[in-house]
Amino acid sequence: MPHRPQLALIGPMGAGKSSIGRALAGLLERPFIDLDRAIEAAAGAEIPLIFELEGEAGFRRREREALAAHLAGTGAVIACGGGVILDPDNRQLLRERAFVVHLVASVDEQLERLARDRSRPLLRTGDRRERLRELAREREPLYAGCADLSFHGRGGAPAVAARELAGRLVEISPDLVVRDDD
Ligand code: S3P
């Protein structure tokens, strides 16, 4: 993949970026990087604690650093946090360094997937549906503007969605699924 060496997954919380991304990386025989987990490892703290101690601004700074560090590599599948596209520099870097896939999910699908989740500070609110709608209104144009491909996994098993996505990628850009060292 000479021009855009990484494959990045963007999209809202609960769209399946981590689960589909991991399965996709397996199919493509590429390393998988979950940016949220990389941020936690670098900080030595989980995301809720980072938000508590440093606020969302502190988390976004760490997210910017982690994204730049991981986009500097080659050949990986990177699952990004839902808010990564808020920063214009992040969007530019993603477009320069990655083939960007927007994983689409409806608010109903997000609510179902995240029903038992307590690890997302932005969902610590009485009305999750309204919060997810607000975030979607603000962010959907940014996801769409940054993406090379939009893909809706339709709530199926991650392995099934990953296979379908891999098939779409082969059609669009065979380079993406051919390893540099093949
Ligand atoms: C966030 C999404 C989360 C995580 C953090 C903030 C967001 O990642 O980065 O809680 O702003 O949408 P996921 O999209 O993987 O849930």
Side-chain angles (χ1 to χ4, degrees):
M1 294 190 279
H3 300 304
R4 288 186 296 166
Q6 302 285 48
L7 182 63
L9 301 182
I10 61 171
M13 294 179 264
K17 299 180 297 288
S18 299
S19 53
I20 296 173
R22 187 180 298 283
L24 182 68
L27 289 172
L28 302 181
E29 296 181 38
R30 294 187 177 280
F32 174 66
I33 296 162
D34 188 318
L35 210 62
D36 284 341
R37 301 294 82 76
I39 294 165
E40 291 180 332
E46 294 187 348
I47 289 175
L49 186 59
I50 300 175
F51 268 73
E52 207 179 305
L53 297 179
E54 301 179 353
E56 182 171 348
F59 173 75
R60 297 296 172 206
R61 180 181 55 72
R62 291 178 179 278
E63 187 175 49
R64 230 174 3 254
E65 286 169 7
L67 181 73
H70 288 287
L71 282 178
T74 60
V77 173
I78 305 176
C80 302
V84 80
I85 42 64
L86 294 172
D87 182 311
D89 291 342
N90 287 352
R91 298 200 296 275
Q92 189 182 338
L93 206 55
L94 278 163
R95 279 195 295 264
E96 283 170 8
R97 296 284 305 167
F99 186 93
V100 181
V101 178
H102 170 199
L103 283 189
V104 177
S106 69
V107 167
D108 281 339
E109 286 162 349
Q110 289 179 267
L111 283 169
E112 198 182 314
R113 283 231 180 87
L114 298 169
R116 280 171 300 279
D117 180 83
R118 296 290 171 267
S119 70
R120 278 137 170 123
L122 297 183
L123 293 184
R124 291 192 173 159
T125 164
D127 189 343
R128 286 184 156 203
R129 180 179 294 278
E130 187 44 37
R131 169 58 54 85
L132 289 172
R133 280 196 184 132
E134 272 168 27
L135 291 173
R137 269 194 296 274
E138 178 192 5
R139 295 175 175 186
E140 283 304 320
L142 301 177
Y143 294 133
C146 195
D148 296 293
L149 170 69
S150 287
F151 178 80
H152 193 165
R154 307 214 174 275
V160 175
R163 262 201 304 281
E164 193 186 329
L165 177 54
R168 297 274 298 278
L169 292 171
V170 182
E171 280 168 21
I172 295 166
S173 176
D175 291 2
L176 276 168
V177 292
V178 176
R179 295 159 63 92
D180 286 340
D181 52 0
D182 279 349

